[in-house]
Amino acid sequence: MRHLFFAILLLASACIAENVCAKEAGASQAQPPKTDWRFQFGISVGSPTPLAVTAGVGYQSVIFRLQGMGWRNGTDDYWTNFRGGIAWTFLRELPFNLDLGIGGGYAFAEAPNGYHKALNKANNATYVYPYNYEETLDLSLEATVHFYGIFTQVSAPVCYFMGNKEPAILWRAGYMFKI
């Protein structure tokens, strides 16, 4: 809990510092006005699930992003993932920018297990589940780096509310269109 408090304090301090610098830079340069709204759409690969569709909406330097997807191949062979987060964008006027924020997500996956099926068949009874499964629900600190549409996202979970497998770091990499 102490780490979460310090992370929020650090994020708030950075947001205030960027606002002060942006106001000073804006006062010294006269540029045509730009819209404050921005939209993002993309696709990414990573963990805990292999593929996700991403959408984001932002106002000025704040961005809210959702990502998720699911796939089903049959009984006991599917996965799903949903994540969402809110972040503050640094250097958003440049082709390279950085988002720092907080997010959360849920992931669930089941996959057939041939060894378990064979064990159950050999004993003519169900002693073990005929599949492997993984399930997590977490709250995490997130950092996303963008460079001309290509992005990488690293999430460090600070709290797991549920899960039978708790990975230390979650990551994603992909491409995002910005409007």
Side-chain angles (χ1 to χ4, degrees):
M1 193 58 145
R2 180 177 53 182
H3 298 296
L4 181 60
F5 172 74
F6 285 122
I8 291 172
L9 182 65
L10 179 65
L11 182 62
S13 301
C15 294
I16 292 169
E18 189 197 0
N19 269 342
V20 170
C21 293
K23 287 180 183 177
E24 289 175 2
S28 64
Q29 300 174 356
Q31 295 180 352
K34 289 188 171 183
T35 180
D36 288 334
W37 288 96
R38 57 197 168 115
F39 302 94
Q40 301 175 341
F41 303 98
I43 192 162
S44 63
V45 296
S47 72
T49 54
L51 191 62
V53 175
T54 305
V57 61
Y59 181 73
Q60 294 182 348
S61 291
V62 177
I63 186 90
F64 175 72
R65 195 172 292 119
L66 288 174
Q67 47 187 266
M69 194 165 176
W71 190 268
R72 182 177 177 91
N73 288 330
T75 305
D76 299 331
D77 193 3
Y78 63 95
W79 54 266
T80 185
N81 177 34
F82 300 101
R83 291 196 71 77
I86 189 163
W88 188 268
T89 303
F90 296 92
L91 309 169
R92 75 178 174 102
E93 299 298 327
L94 300 176
F96 169 83
N97 55 46
L98 172 70
D99 299 339
L100 295 176
I102 192 164
Y106 173 78
F108 183 83
E110 283 189 3
N113 186 321
Y115 293 115
H116 289 186
K117 287 182 180 180
L119 179 67
N120 291 337
K121 185 177 179 182
N123 290 305
N124 291 328
T126 304
Y127 290 118
V128 291
Y129 289 119
Y131 56 85
N132 295 331
Y133 81 100
E134 182 177 320
E135 185 174 30
T136 60
L137 176 65
D138 67 270
L139 179 67
S140 52
L141 300 175
E142 297 181 345
T144 307
V145 177
H146 302 265
F147 185 69
Y148 287 108
I150 298 170
F151 75 94
T152 59
Q153 178 182 10
V154 177
S155 301
V158 292
C159 183
Y160 277 103
F161 300 103
M162 168 183 25
N164 65 331
K165 184 177 179 184
E166 300 175 351
I169 298 290
L170 305 173
W171 64 272
R172 301 218 67 78
Y175 187 80
M176 196 176 306
F177 295 101
K178 298 178 184 179
I179 300 172

